[in-house]
Amino acid sequence: MTDGRLVLALAATIIDVAMVGPSSAIVMITRLDWWDIRALFKDPPHLYLDSSLDQLYPTKMGPPNMTLYEGCDTIEYTSTCPGAGFRALKDWARSWNRNGVPPNISMTEFPTHTERALLIEMKLWFSTTTTLAQPSLELTGLFWDYIRRDSMNRLHGFSKPALVTIDTAPVYAPVVEVECASFNYNEAVKGLDPDNPNTSSPLGVPDKNTTGAWHVDPSLWNFTRPMNATNFTWVDVSSYSDRDGTGASLGALFTVPTAGLLNATMNDTFWDVLQQSLLIPCLIKAKWAAAKIQYDPKSSNQIVSKTAKARLTKNVKGLKGLSDTTLISPKWAALLNVAGISYTSIKGETLNATMMEVLIQEFIVSYVNTKYSPYLAIGQNFSRFGPTSSTEVMAGTLGAVIAEGLSRQTYNWIVPYAVRVQGPNSTVVTPLLELEFLESSKANVLNVSLAAFKATLEGSSTLIEYTIKQYGYGYGYQGTPTVAIGLAVPLAHTAVTIAFILCTIYHRIAGTGFTSSAWGEIGEMLALAMRSERATELQNVGGDVKAKSTWKMRVRVRERKGENLELVVGQRDLDGLQPCPDKKYH
């Protein structure tokens, strides 16, 4: 063996010996994690939604599918309508205004009472909002109730199970980006071209990623109105296209009151206020992004989406499975802005307005020392009003409304069902929603052949697959490379040891290699050295051995004169024969 190979082998041995102990300890330590539960069912169910992916996650909202939302454009709207989250959003806006910070908000699904978080991130004039789509939420809750009632599985023996969709499951969540700008109405009017007042507009939303901008038609805002009034309008942007050609989903225009102070001091009993009005145009871009669901029913009713945990404001383009921009028609958006909603004004009057205007009213405040002039503020703090606060409030509120509406857009006509294939002639199809309200014996359960199922139901439905996990201590290498490395080192050590043992046994049996039992003790080797011829290479080692080269000399056993063996040091007399294993020597 050469010096380099010897050093390499020695270094590898030292590293192996140093790592094998700690690595074995890593493998032996149990970890607290989510672990897959296998073989829970004899015939595991498959979960379907009776709609295609294009129907579940459309990239165009509006005609000709408006018949699906009959009754949703009136104050008699039901809990399955796109605008049904209004009451929860109103409470959220009121809490935001009173406390100065937007609270966490969750939406409850009926009838399973599962919840989904509405995650909103805001920064000055920009907001990003996401939540789970309602059909996925409903299916997960119904599936949990289904397997919980099934006495044929082992789920009852687990203390903390969870449902998790597989990585390839077609589950998506709406992701809504809103960008707003703020303009003083009086200043905007001055900026109009007097010769062409309806074609030239200073009002628009600049696109931060491009050099273009979306400009609002002056006819939508250049009209006589009270300066202390609020107003909201959806704007069709189907013809708008940015530099990337992706366009936008929808536009919106807010009119909100604001106040300018004249000659105000902290000692004034009343502040001189100039009532003004802000125009806030907003551009909306909505897309669908791939999501992964996890539901831990023993800990919380909230179903978690890993998409919703991302820092969306900074990384929307990096989300997996991001769709094209969803075009939203003003006619469909009107379902999120139903008229005839009553509210109490800052003067104590009971008035009617649209949903969006009522949400805006939650941020309109007035104090005695401003002579009751209304203005938009956060946390009822007079120092927090004006363009910056206004765009933040409007962008956050608008994003929440759009994301909530998109999550509910198929809520009233999607049917979830479970399928269990028990054989080629027996496929059990169970409508999960019927099972939730009826006894199992009364639910409209179908038993059809596998061929009939594939021909009728499977082709027009979307399969959602789940894994069932249990939280606890266990052994495994899932989720962390440390355990995999810790397992690899002892396995490599074991492989080297087994290879060495097998090699030794082979040479013992075959009589080959460099093994021998002739010299079993150091004394026998010393006796062989004493009867060997004098080595000139060792003539100066009588008192000490200082040169490293001396220790590196090779020592061999060679045959001399056919009957004797001796030690040969260095390169001297290498023409001697190697010893024969079966030959007797003196």
Side-chain angles (χ1 to χ4, degrees):
M1 181 178 290
T2 62
D3 294 344
R5 292 171 59 189
L6 178 63
V7 172
L8 182 62
L10 183 60
T13 303
I14 293 173
I15 294 174
D16 178 65
V17 172
M19 292 183 64
V20 70
S23 299
S24 301
I26 291 175
V27 175
M28 294 173 62
I29 296 174
T30 58
R31 292 188 298 112
L32 190 62
D33 203 347
W34 290 100
W35 306 93
D36 290 341
I37 302 176
R38 296 181 176 87
L40 186 65
F41 300 95
K42 180 180 179 181
D43 49 333
H46 304 279
L47 284 301
Y48 286 87
L49 294 170
D50 69 335
S51 294
S52 64
L53 281 176
D54 292 339
Q55 292 172 317
L56 288 172
Y57 314 111
T59 54
K60 184 177 181 180
M61 303 300 305
N65 298 321
M66 294 303 296
T67 55
L68 300 172
Y69 308 105
E70 185 176 352
C72 290
D73 57 350
T74 69
I75 58 174
E76 304 299 329
Y77 65 88
T78 66
S79 61
T80 61
C81 291
F86 165 73
R87 291 181 178 85
L89 290 174
K90 183 181 178 182
D91 293 339
W92 166 78
R94 180 180 295 118
S95 178
W96 181 5
N97 185 40
R98 290 182 177 178
N99 299 321
V101 293
N104 296 326
I105 178 172
S106 296
M107 297 296 180
T108 303
E109 191 276 328
F110 179 81
T112 60
H113 301 291
T114 51
E115 299 175 357
R116 55 182 169 84
L118 190 64
L119 181 67
I120 309 167
E121 295 186 0
M122 294 168 287
K123 185 176 181 180
L124 300 178
W125 58 82
F126 188 84
S127 76
T128 306
T129 309
T130 188
T131 186
L132 280 173
Q134 197 74 14
S136 304
L137 184 80
E138 182 182 44
L139 179 65
T140 304
L142 291 174
F143 180 43
W144 166 250
D145 287 348
Y146 174 73
I147 60 176
R148 185 168 52 87
R149 295 175 182 181
D150 187 358
S151 60
M152 300 303 292
N153 65 66
R154 300 182 293 110
L155 187 64
H156 305 285
F158 295 95
S159 59
K160 194 176 181 181
L163 302 179
V164 181
T165 53
I166 64 174
D167 292 337
T168 57
V171 177
Y172 292 84
V175 178
V176 180
E177 297 177 277
V178 180
E179 192 167 1
C180 297
S182 181
F183 300 86
N184 183 283
Y185 171 73
N186 292 328
E187 296 299 325
V189 171
K190 294 178 182 178
L192 285 176
D193 185 346
D195 297 327
N196 300 288
N198 292 323
T199 58
S200 178
S201 175
L203 201 65
V205 180
D207 193 326
K208 303 300 180 184
N209 298 319
T210 68
T211 58
W214 167 62
H215 292 281
V216 183
D217 190 330
S219 63
L220 296 175
W221 57 272
N222 185 23
F223 54 87
T224 304
R225 89 285 300 287
M227 299 294 286
N228 61 353
T230 61
N231 187 61
F232 177 81
T233 304
W234 294 115
V235 184
D236 188 350
V237 294
S238 56
S239 60
Y240 168 77
S241 178
D242 60 17
R243 188 170 61 183
D244 298 331
T246 57
S249 301
L250 187 64
L253 178 61
F254 294 91
T255 299
V256 297
T258 187
L261 300 182
L262 300 175
N263 303 321
T265 66
M266 294 304 296
N267 296 324
D268 288 341
T269 303
F270 290 95
W271 295 338
D272 293 329
V273 174
L274 175 63
Q275 183 68 66
Q276 296 180 340
S277 179
L278 285 179
L279 299 173
I280 304 176
C282 297
L283 196 60
I284 304 162
K285 294 184 179 181
K287 299 181 180 182
W288 297 97
K292 186 175 182 179
I293 290 176
Q294 179 166 322
Y295 181 34
D296 176 11
K298 295 295 183 70
S299 300
S300 172
N301 286 333
Q302 188 174 106
I303 296 178
V304 177
S305 167
K306 291 192 175 181
T307 300
K309 289 183 175 181
R311 297 295 298 175
L312 296 172
T313 302
K314 299 179 179 179
N315 195 29
V316 169
K317 292 184 178 180
L319 294 176
K320 293 183 179 180
L322 200 63
S323 72
D324 294 334
T325 301
T326 298
L327 182 62
I328 302 174
S329 72
K331 189 171 183 179
W332 186 87
L335 302 176
L336 310 178
N337 192 33
V338 175
I341 308 297
S342 63
Y343 73 99
T344 303
S345 70
I346 57 176
K347 294 183 179 180
E349 303 169 314
T350 300
L351 304 174
N352 290 331
T354 66
M355 287 180 173
M356 291 300 303
E357 290 173 0
V358 172
L359 290 178
I360 298 171
Q361 287 296 326
E362 294 297 333
F363 299 97
I364 304 299
V365 296
S366 178
Y367 294 113
V368 174
N369 56 357
T370 62
K371 298 182 181 179
Y372 292 102
S373 295
Y375 60 92
L376 186 145
I378 301 176
Q380 297 189 3
N381 185 345
F382 193 78
S383 64
R384 292 194 64 190
F385 77 96
T388 300
S389 297
S390 300
T391 52
E392 181 180 357
V393 170
M394 297 302 101
T397 303
L398 192 55
V401 170
I402 295 293
E404 176 61 19
L406 289 176
S407 73
R408 295 174 177 267
Q409 55 91 19
T410 55
Y411 191 26
N412 62 341
W413 51 276
I414 296 295
V415 178
Y417 57 91
V419 176
R420 303 181 87 156
V421 180
Q422 299 177 336
N425 298 318
S426 179
T427 301
V428 180
V429 182
T430 305
L432 295 179
L433 201 56
E434 289 187 21
L435 194 64
E436 188 72 17
F437 294 101
L438 303 174
E439 298 178 8
S440 300
S441 59
K442 296 180 180 179
N444 187 25
V445 178
L446 303 178
N447 195 328
V448 298
S449 68
L450 182 59
F453 164 72
K454 290 181 177 294
T456 57
L457 294 174
E458 187 180 46
S460 60
S461 302
T462 300
L463 173 64
I464 309 293
E465 295 186 78
Y466 294 83
T467 58
I468 302 177
K469 295 180 178 288
Q470 161 70 7
Y471 190 72
Y473 288 97
Y475 296 97
Y477 58 86
Q478 64 181 28
T480 172
T482 305
V483 176
I485 295 173
L487 185 62
V489 172
L491 288 177
H493 183 81
T494 303
V496 171
T497 303
I498 292 175
F500 176 78
I501 293 173
L502 293 176
C503 184
T504 302
I505 293 174
Y506 170 76
H507 287 301
R508 286 282 187 181
I509 296 175
T512 60
F514 300 94
T515 60
S516 174
S517 59
W519 303 283
E521 298 179 0
I522 188 65
E524 295 175 349
M525 292 294 295
L526 184 60
L528 178 63
M530 294 174 65
R531 65 173 292 175
S532 301
E533 291 187 9
R534 180 180 178 184
T536 58
E537 289 86 350
L538 300 178
Q539 61 183 357
N540 297 320
V541 298
D544 193 6
V545 179
K546 294 184 178 180
K548 293 182 179 181
S549 59
T550 303
W551 294 112
K552 292 182 179 180
M553 291 182 184
R554 295 187 178 184
V555 179
R556 297 174 175 84
V557 178
R558 289 290 183 267
E559 184 180 289
R560 284 291 183 184
K561 299 179 181 179
E563 298 181 352
N564 298 319
L565 295 176
E566 67 174 341
L567 291 179
V568 178
V569 180
Q571 303 297 323
R572 181 177 60 86
D573 296 333
L574 293 181
D575 56 342
L577 299 176
Q578 293 187 3
C580 298
D582 298 327
K583 184 176 180 179
K584 294 182 179 180
Y585 294 97
H586 297 292

